């Protein structure tokens, strides 16, 4: 049985004041429409997270129970163009404070569309999180939309750029559609939690 096969939605928090007490959390962040919900569903092996048709609507922080006290946290997607400036600023405040200050956060998974990796907002997330010195793992999603050679080239480019901004970060190709990269991702997250993948 995989680490995430019992993943179960537990609660949506509306803001920082509303976050539940947890022992350990792994957060998933990414631009809206990058494929975050699909990646969570792929890891769970079923539809655990909602896949949005209208990106950028929700500001909820969704908590999924992995197992006793350990949670996967689905952060609100960022970068959706049609969001009013005041709302955008509020999201940034929530994301920055969560990434900088959440004590039970053991690692961050950054979801990036393999065709558009390391956008300024992705770099902003890394900038907020890196002072915590906790691990970062990047999933380059929708890798099935690239040819094998394009995907390999993208992986090398992102590895090279991350080596400059945060050498401890790891990165891999991922496809929810083709179920590629699941074993590799699970192994990383299981290591963070000291559990079997
Ligand atoms: P989120 O906003 O980051 O949660 O993104 P979603 O998971 O809702 O996915 C956004 C869109 O990308 C949806 O139409 C998905 O079907 C599509 N998508 C997500 N992952 C993949 C993938 O690995 N391959 C392909 N081809 N499409 C994907």
């Amino acid at each position: 049985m995989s680490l995430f096969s019992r993943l179960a939605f537990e609660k949506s928090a509306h803001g920082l004041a509303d976050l539940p007490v947890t022992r350990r959390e792994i957060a998933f962040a990414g631009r809206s429409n990058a494929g975050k919900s699909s990646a969570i569903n792929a890891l769970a092996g079923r539809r655990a997270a909602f896949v949005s048709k209208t990106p950028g609507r929700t500001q909820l922080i969704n908590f999924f129970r992995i197992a006793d006290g350990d949670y996967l946290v689905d952060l609100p997607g960022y970068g959706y163009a049609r969001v009013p400036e005041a709302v955008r600023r509020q999201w940034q405040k929530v994301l920055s404070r969560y990434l900088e200050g959440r004590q039970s956060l053991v690692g961050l998974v950054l979801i990036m569309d393999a065709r558009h990796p390391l956008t300024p907002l992705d770099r902003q997330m890394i900038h907020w999180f890196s002072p915590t010195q906790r691990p970062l793992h990047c999933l380059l999603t929708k890798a099935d939309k690239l040819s094998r050679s394009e995907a390999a080239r993208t992986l090398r480019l992102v590895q090279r750029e991350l080596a400059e901004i945060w050498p401890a970060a790891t990165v891999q190709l991922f496809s929810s559609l083709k179920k590629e990269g699941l074993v590799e991702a699970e192994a990383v997250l299981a290591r963070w939690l000291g559990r079997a993948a």
Side-chain angles (χ1 to χ4, degrees):
M1 204 195 256
S2 84
L3 176 66
F4 296 103
S5 58
R6 283 189 295 153
L7 200 69
F9 173 77
E10 188 157 304
K11 154 179 180 122
S12 290
H14 292 265
L16 296 167
D18 196 26
L19 296 178
V21 175
T22 66
R23 185 163 67 113
R24 296 184 299 191
E25 291 171 19
I26 291 174
F28 277 55
R31 288 182 71 85
S32 79
N33 215 38
K36 179 159 53 67
S37 310
S38 302
I40 294 171
N41 290 337
L43 287 166
R46 71 203 137 78
R47 225 181 133 154
F50 180 65
V51 176
S52 63
K53 290 267 178 284
T54 47
R57 284 278 177 81
T58 171
Q59 285 194 62
L60 298 175
I61 302 174
N62 295 315
F63 282 74
F64 296 87
R65 192 173 355 92
I66 299 170
D68 9 285
D70 291 341
Y71 286 82
L72 185 161
V73 180
D74 182 12
L75 295 172
Y78 48 82
Y80 185 57
R82 274 182 273 163
V83 165
E85 186 53 34
V87 176
R88 198 192 312 268
R89 242 180 278 126
Q90 177 60 19
W91 286 12
Q92 298 211 345
K93 197 166 91 188
V94 168
L95 288 169
S96 65
R97 292 201 182 151
Y98 174 86
L99 292 173
E100 287 167 350
R102 180 72 167 166
Q103 283 308 313
S104 52
L105 181 59
V106 297
L108 175 65
V109 177
L110 189 57
I111 309 291
M112 298 186 286
D113 187 322
R115 296 165 301 171
H116 318 285
L118 291 172
T119 65
L121 285 171
D122 297 325
R123 291 170 189 272
Q124 179 73 76
M125 297 299 130
I126 297 176
H127 180 72
W128 283 325
F129 184 62
S130 57
T132 67
Q133 304 269 328
R134 289 172 194 167
L136 167 75
H137 187 62
C138 300
L139 298 187
L140 301 174
T141 57
K142 310 191 191 182
D144 56 277
K145 289 189 183 259
L146 299 176
S147 70
R148 277 196 185 277
S149 61
E150 282 171 336
R153 194 174 138 266
T154 301
L155 180 62
R156 276 198 308 276
L157 277 175
V158 173
Q159 276 167 336
R160 204 174 304 150
E161 287 210 34
L162 279 175
E164 278 170 25
I165 47 182
W166 192 358
T170 49
V171 56
Q172 67 162 99
L173 295 165
F174 193 88
S175 167
S176 304
L177 187 72
K178 296 277 166 70
K179 309 269 180 277
E180 278 172 18
L182 290 174
V183 172
E184 188 178 351
E186 272 189 9
V188 171
L189 307 190
R191 200 166 62 238
W192 292 355
L193 294 173
R195 289 178 179 272

mmCIF file of all heavy atoms in Angstrom, residues 156-178:
data_model
loop_
_atom_site.group_PDB
_atom_site.id
_atom_site.type_symbol
_atom_site.label_atom_id
_atom_site.label_comp_id
_atom_site.label_asym_id
_atom_site.label_seq_id
_atom_site.Cartn_x
_atom_site.Cartn_y
_atom_site.Cartn_z
ATOM 1 N N ARG A 156 17.255 19.320 -16.995
ATOM 2 C CA ARG A 156 18.642 19.790 -16.794
ATOM 3 C C ARG A 156 18.690 21.290 -16.521
ATOM 4 O O ARG A 156 19.402 21.752 -15.639
ATOM 5 C CB ARG A 156 19.488 19.474 -18.039
ATOM 6 C CG ARG A 156 20.057 18.062 -18.058
ATOM 7 C CD ARG A 156 21.206 17.958 -19.049
ATOM 8 N NE ARG A 156 20.877 18.447 -20.381
ATOM 9 C CZ ARG A 156 20.255 17.719 -21.317
ATOM 10 N NH1 ARG A 156 19.910 16.475 -21.072
ATOM 11 N NH2 ARG A 156 19.982 18.238 -22.504
ATOM 12 N N LEU A 157 17.888 22.058 -17.285
ATOM 13 C CA LEU A 157 17.882 23.522 -17.112
ATOM 14 C C LEU A 157 17.411 23.910 -15.717
ATOM 15 O O LEU A 157 18.005 24.755 -15.055
ATOM 16 C CB LEU A 157 16.944 24.167 -18.140
ATOM 17 C CG LEU A 157 17.498 24.405 -19.528
ATOM 18 C CD1 LEU A 157 16.397 24.937 -20.447
ATOM 19 C CD2 LEU A 157 18.638 25.427 -19.452
ATOM 20 N N VAL A 158 16.321 23.262 -15.274
ATOM 21 C CA VAL A 158 15.773 23.599 -13.956
ATOM 22 C C VAL A 158 16.747 23.170 -12.864
ATOM 23 O O VAL A 158 16.962 23.906 -11.894
ATOM 24 C CB VAL A 158 14.368 22.978 -13.765
ATOM 25 C CG1 VAL A 158 13.863 23.188 -12.344
ATOM 26 C CG2 VAL A 158 13.380 23.563 -14.765
ATOM 27 N N GLN A 159 17.372 22.001 -13.040
ATOM 28 C CA GLN A 159 18.376 21.554 -12.061
ATOM 29 C C GLN A 159 19.497 22.583 -11.945
ATOM 30 O O GLN A 159 19.931 22.931 -10.850
ATOM 31 C CB GLN A 159 18.981 20.204 -12.486
ATOM 32 C CG GLN A 159 18.133 19.028 -12.056
ATOM 33 C CD GLN A 159 18.558 17.724 -12.731
ATOM 34 O OE1 GLN A 159 19.163 17.720 -13.803
ATOM 35 N NE2 GLN A 159 18.214 16.606 -12.100
ATOM 36 N N ARG A 160 19.923 23.084 -13.104
ATOM 37 C CA ARG A 160 21.030 24.038 -13.110
ATOM 38 C C ARG A 160 20.626 25.338 -12.419
ATOM 39 O O ARG A 160 21.363 25.901 -11.621
ATOM 40 C CB ARG A 160 21.450 24.310 -14.560
ATOM 41 C CG ARG A 160 22.880 24.782 -14.679
ATOM 42 C CD ARG A 160 23.301 24.890 -16.123
ATOM 43 N NE ARG A 160 23.136 23.679 -16.889
ATOM 44 C CZ ARG A 160 22.881 23.635 -18.204
ATOM 45 N NH1 ARG A 160 22.721 24.751 -18.896
ATOM 46 N NH2 ARG A 160 22.770 22.486 -18.835
ATOM 47 N N GLU A 161 19.414 25.818 -12.705
ATOM 48 C CA GLU A 161 18.964 27.081 -12.092
ATOM 49 C C GLU A 161 18.757 26.931 -10.595
ATOM 50 O O GLU A 161 19.107 27.812 -9.815
ATOM 51 C CB GLU A 161 17.667 27.548 -12.751
ATOM 52 C CG GLU A 161 17.916 28.078 -14.132
ATOM 53 C CD GLU A 161 16.906 29.148 -14.516
ATOM 54 O OE1 GLU A 161 16.472 29.915 -13.639
ATOM 55 O OE2 GLU A 161 16.550 29.184 -15.698
ATOM 56 N N LEU A 162 18.166 25.783 -10.194
ATOM 57 C CA LEU A 162 17.939 25.561 -8.763
ATOM 58 C C LEU A 162 19.265 25.461 -8.013
ATOM 59 O O LEU A 162 19.375 25.908 -6.876
ATOM 60 C CB LEU A 162 17.128 24.287 -8.529
ATOM 61 C CG LEU A 162 15.621 24.381 -8.712
ATOM 62 C CD1 LEU A 162 14.996 23.004 -8.559
ATOM 63 C CD2 LEU A 162 14.989 25.360 -7.736
ATOM 64 N N ALA A 163 20.267 24.887 -8.680
ATOM 65 C CA ALA A 163 21.578 24.739 -8.038
ATOM 66 C C ALA A 163 22.136 26.104 -7.653
ATOM 67 O O ALA A 163 22.866 26.232 -6.678
ATOM 68 C CB ALA A 163 22.540 24.015 -8.967
ATOM 69 N N GLU A 164 21.724 27.137 -8.421
ATOM 70 C CA GLU A 164 22.192 28.484 -8.105
ATOM 71 C C GLU A 164 21.384 29.114 -6.993
ATOM 72 O O GLU A 164 21.934 29.757 -6.105
ATOM 73 C CB GLU A 164 22.123 29.372 -9.348
ATOM 74 C CG GLU A 164 23.324 29.171 -10.240
ATOM 75 C CD GLU A 164 23.162 29.860 -11.576
ATOM 76 O OE1 GLU A 164 22.402 30.848 -11.667
ATOM 77 O OE2 GLU A 164 23.789 29.387 -12.540
ATOM 78 N N ILE A 165 20.044 28.930 -7.027
ATOM 79 C CA ILE A 165 19.253 29.612 -5.994
ATOM 80 C C ILE A 165 19.089 28.787 -4.725
ATOM 81 O O ILE A 165 18.973 29.340 -3.652
ATOM 82 C CB ILE A 165 17.871 30.102 -6.528
ATOM 83 C CG1 ILE A 165 17.127 29.030 -7.319
ATOM 84 C CG2 ILE A 165 18.016 31.356 -7.325
ATOM 85 C CD1 ILE A 165 15.807 29.512 -7.888
ATOM 86 N N TRP A 166 19.081 27.439 -4.858
ATOM 87 C CA TRP A 166 18.926 26.620 -3.657
ATOM 88 C C TRP A 166 19.466 25.211 -3.920
ATOM 89 O O TRP A 166 18.723 24.305 -4.315
ATOM 90 C CB TRP A 166 17.471 26.549 -3.248
ATOM 91 C CG TRP A 166 17.288 25.981 -1.887
ATOM 92 C CD1 TRP A 166 18.256 25.504 -1.038
ATOM 93 C CD2 TRP A 166 16.057 25.827 -1.189
ATOM 94 N NE1 TRP A 166 17.707 25.075 0.128
ATOM 95 C CE2 TRP A 166 16.356 25.265 0.078
ATOM 96 C CE3 TRP A 166 14.730 26.116 -1.511
ATOM 97 C CZ2 TRP A 166 15.379 24.982 0.998
ATOM 98 C CZ3 TRP A 166 13.764 25.832 -0.579
ATOM 99 C CH2 TRP A 166 14.086 25.288 0.665
ATOM 100 N N PRO A 167 20.754 25.004 -3.693
ATOM 101 C CA PRO A 167 21.412 23.751 -4.079
ATOM 102 C C PRO A 167 20.781 22.490 -3.483
ATOM 103 O O PRO A 167 20.861 21.430 -4.090
ATOM 104 C CB PRO A 167 22.837 23.934 -3.556
ATOM 105 C CG PRO A 167 23.008 25.397 -3.383
ATOM 106 C CD PRO A 167 21.667 25.961 -3.086
ATOM 107 N N ALA A 168 20.141 22.588 -2.328
ATOM 108 C CA ALA A 168 19.592 21.381 -1.701
ATOM 109 C C ALA A 168 18.282 20.942 -2.348
ATOM 110 O O ALA A 168 17.785 19.848 -2.065
ATOM 111 C CB ALA A 168 19.385 21.619 -0.214
ATOM 112 N N ALA A 169 17.717 21.768 -3.217
ATOM 113 C CA ALA A 169 16.426 21.433 -3.817
ATOM 114 C C ALA A 169 16.570 20.284 -4.808
ATOM 115 O O ALA A 169 17.605 20.126 -5.447
ATOM 116 C CB ALA A 169 15.861 22.656 -4.528
ATOM 117 N N THR A 170 15.526 19.484 -4.928
ATOM 118 C CA THR A 170 15.518 18.386 -5.892
ATOM 119 C C THR A 170 14.382 18.613 -6.893
ATOM 120 O O THR A 170 13.424 19.334 -6.604
ATOM 121 C CB THR A 170 15.340 17.025 -5.179
ATOM 122 O OG1 THR A 170 14.243 17.130 -4.263
ATOM 123 C CG2 THR A 170 16.591 16.643 -4.410
ATOM 124 N N VAL A 171 14.504 18.001 -8.050
ATOM 125 C CA VAL A 171 13.504 18.223 -9.106
ATOM 126 C C VAL A 171 13.355 16.957 -9.941
ATOM 127 O O VAL A 171 14.318 16.194 -10.103
ATOM 128 C CB VAL A 171 13.904 19.454 -9.971
ATOM 129 C CG1 VAL A 171 15.286 19.312 -10.563
ATOM 130 C CG2 VAL A 171 12.896 19.714 -11.079
ATOM 131 N N GLN A 172 12.166 16.729 -10.457
ATOM 132 C CA GLN A 172 11.902 15.562 -11.297
ATOM 133 C C GLN A 172 10.801 15.879 -12.305
ATOM 134 O O GLN A 172 10.031 16.827 -12.135
ATOM 135 C CB GLN A 172 11.447 14.387 -10.426
ATOM 136 C CG GLN A 172 10.081 14.631 -9.765
ATOM 137 C CD GLN A 172 9.433 13.355 -9.265
ATOM 138 O OE1 GLN A 172 9.500 13.044 -8.087
ATOM 139 N NE2 GLN A 172 8.776 12.624 -10.169
ATOM 140 N N LEU A 173 10.732 15.039 -13.338
ATOM 141 C CA LEU A 173 9.634 15.129 -14.295
ATOM 142 C C LEU A 173 8.441 14.366 -13.737
ATOM 143 O O LEU A 173 8.599 13.406 -12.982
ATOM 144 C CB LEU A 173 10.066 14.528 -15.635
ATOM 145 C CG LEU A 173 11.190 15.275 -16.346
ATOM 146 C CD1 LEU A 173 11.795 14.411 -17.452
ATOM 147 C CD2 LEU A 173 10.680 16.597 -16.921
ATOM 148 N N PHE A 174 7.229 14.791 -14.128
ATOM 149 C CA PHE A 174 6.026 14.171 -13.572
ATOM 150 C C PHE A 174 4.896 14.281 -14.592
ATOM 151 O O PHE A 174 4.769 15.287 -15.293
ATOM 152 C CB PHE A 174 5.631 14.917 -12.292
ATOM 153 C CG PHE A 174 4.601 14.225 -11.446
ATOM 154 C CD1 PHE A 174 4.974 13.299 -10.483
ATOM 155 C CD2 PHE A 174 3.247 14.502 -11.603
ATOM 156 C CE1 PHE A 174 4.038 12.663 -9.690
ATOM 157 C CE2 PHE A 174 2.292 13.862 -10.815
ATOM 158 C CZ PHE A 174 2.695 12.949 -9.848
ATOM 159 N N SER A 175 4.097 13.244 -14.687
ATOM 160 C CA SER A 175 2.887 13.325 -15.507
ATOM 161 C C SER A 175 1.750 12.602 -14.799
ATOM 162 O O SER A 175 1.811 11.391 -14.606
ATOM 163 C CB SER A 175 3.109 12.698 -16.887
ATOM 164 O OG SER A 175 1.854 12.530 -17.524
ATOM 165 N N SER A 176 0.737 13.372 -14.412
ATOM 166 C CA SER A 176 -0.444 12.762 -13.783
ATOM 167 C C SER A 176 -1.185 11.924 -14.808
ATOM 168 O O SER A 176 -1.708 10.858 -14.489
ATOM 169 C CB SER A 176 -1.375 13.850 -13.241
ATOM 170 O OG SER A 176 -0.676 14.672 -12.361
ATOM 171 N N LEU A 177 -1.198 12.429 -16.044
ATOM 172 C CA LEU A 177 -1.926 11.746 -17.111
ATOM 173 C C LEU A 177 -1.326 10.366 -17.382
ATOM 174 O O LEU A 177 -2.045 9.373 -17.461
ATOM 175 C CB LEU A 177 -1.866 12.603 -18.385
ATOM 176 C CG LEU A 177 -2.714 12.140 -19.550
ATOM 177 C CD1 LEU A 177 -4.185 12.380 -19.262
ATOM 178 C CD2 LEU A 177 -2.312 12.855 -20.840
ATOM 179 N N LYS A 178 0.000 10.316 -17.509
ATOM 180 C CA LYS A 178 0.676 9.058 -17.845
ATOM 181 C C LYS A 178 1.144 8.298 -16.609
ATOM 182 O O LYS A 178 1.810 7.266 -16.730
ATOM 183 C CB LYS A 178 1.888 9.345 -18.754
ATOM 184 C CG LYS A 178 1.520 9.941 -20.098
ATOM 185 C CD LYS A 178 1.117 8.846 -21.079
ATOM 186 C CE LYS A 178 0.429 9.339 -22.313
ATOM 187 N NZ LYS A 178 1.278 10.059 -23.231
#
